Amino acid sequence: MKRTNRDYWNATSDGYQDAHGDSLSATALAWGVWRIPESELGILGAVKGVDILELGCGAAQWSIALDEVGAQVVGIDFSERQLKHARKSSEVIPLVQGSAESLPFNAESFDIVFCDHGATTFSPPELTVAEASRVLRPSGIFAFSMSSPIRDICWDANEDRVSSQLAADYFGLHAIEDGDQTCYQLPYGGWIRLFRQHALQVEDLVELRAPNNAETTYSDFVPRSWAERWPAENIWKLRKLAI
């Protein structure tokens, strides 16, 4: 699955950055497809001087913005094409080609590990959560945004859009294949049990609601009216237990 997803992102990276890159750069310190500011959500907290790892950094819009406010950031992505875009934008940020399934970093290397619709969507949760916990220091934060289980069980594969009716097996959520790539999801209880298995305590589950009159460049998250009624995305905020 890792090779399939990497091939997909290498093939589509240029088009992805053409469609979304300007928006991601213009609202860099913001979460999800509706670009809700970190200043409003307060997920990461104070970042100046903090060691941060971004999983699935893409063109590194988040990492670059965090560096500009004083964080010590490393970005990792499995797509060399995505990293080529990142290197065009910054010669300062350390960028690593690698997988979130097997991070090339020592244990307890970072204060924060985070991901905004990146590697945690495209890698098996059992591997990414274990690795994120391993490289986090005690009391460190692991935060990641992704599609919500509610959106995923309302996705109508025949119509290729989100619907207002349940369409998929909630208890069967895991690998979601669309013919081009594989995404991953778990039921809420499955996520919580996985976090506990790796000494991660849930501090918050932020269910993102599309702001009034918000626009997005991501067509698979429209219509906005759906995301005004139900959470299409959520952010898990976790704290590594000091044990």
Side-chain angles (χ1 to χ4, degrees):
M1 297 300 180
K2 178 171 64 176
R3 180 58 183 267
T4 299
N5 281 350
R6 188 177 72 186
D7 289 348
Y8 172 84
W9 278 100
N10 280 336
T12 61
S13 175
D14 292 355
Y16 178 89
Q17 293 301 331
D18 286 344
H20 309 296
D22 288 347
S23 174
L24 293 174
S25 295
T27 56
L29 294 175
W31 292 91
V33 303
W34 305 104
R35 313 309 298 146
I36 300 176
E38 162 68 9
S39 59
E40 292 182 14
L41 298 176
I43 303 297
L44 303 182
V47 297
K48 187 174 182 179
V50 172
D51 293 319
I52 300 178
L53 174 64
E54 181 180 8
L55 302 179
C57 65
Q61 289 94 343
W62 258 101
S63 288
I64 292 168
L66 286 168
D67 174 78
E68 290 174 350
V69 295
Q72 305 296 315
V73 193
V74 176
I76 186 169
D77 202 288
F78 62 9
S79 166
E80 56 265 36
R81 192 67 184 175
Q82 285 281 65
L83 290 175
K84 183 176 181 179
H85 286 282
R87 292 188 176 104
K88 288 180 181 178
S89 300
S90 175
E91 298 179 353
V92 176
I93 306 297
L95 297 168
V96 178
Q97 184 179 1
S99 171
E101 300 174 20
S102 181
L103 293 170
F105 306 108
N106 293 330
E108 300 185 4
S109 294
F110 298 97
D111 303 302
I112 296 174
V113 176
F114 85 100
C115 179
D116 185 21
H117 279 274
T120 50
T121 295
F122 302 105
S123 302
E126 298 80 6
L127 300 178
T128 54
V129 170
E131 281 294 274
S133 179
R134 181 183 68 81
V135 302
L136 262 182
R137 294 172 182 143
S139 300
I141 291 173
F142 177 31
F144 63 97
S145 72
M146 64 189 309
S147 174
S148 73
I150 294 174
R151 174 183 176 270
D152 288 339
I153 61 174
C154 288
W155 186 260
D156 187 330
N158 294 323
E159 297 292 331
D160 197 29
R161 64 178 180 83
V162 69
S163 75
S164 59
Q165 297 182 357
L166 299 179
D169 179 3
Y170 175 75
F171 292 107
L173 285 174
H174 190 258
I176 303 171
E177 300 182 32
D178 66 3
D180 295 317
Q181 62 180 333
T182 303
C183 299
Y184 294 87
Q185 184 62 273
L186 294 175
Y188 290 109
W191 282 116
I192 292 170
R193 286 187 289 275
L194 182 61
F195 299 148
R196 293 185 64 182
Q197 181 182 345
H198 295 287
L200 294 167
Q201 183 178 54
V202 178
E203 285 203 348
D204 206 348
L205 173 61
V206 181
E207 296 172 298
L208 300 179
R209 185 178 190 180
N212 292 335
N213 302 316
E215 296 183 359
T216 182
T217 56
Y218 294 87
S219 60
D220 52 337
F221 279 84
V222 296
R224 186 186 69 241
S225 58
W226 197 99
E228 290 175 338
R229 298 181 65 194
W230 304 291
E233 313 166 88
N234 54 225
I235 305 171
W236 288 102
K237 181 179 179 180
L238 314 158
R239 180 84 59 179
K240 184 176 178 179
L241 297 175
I243 57 175

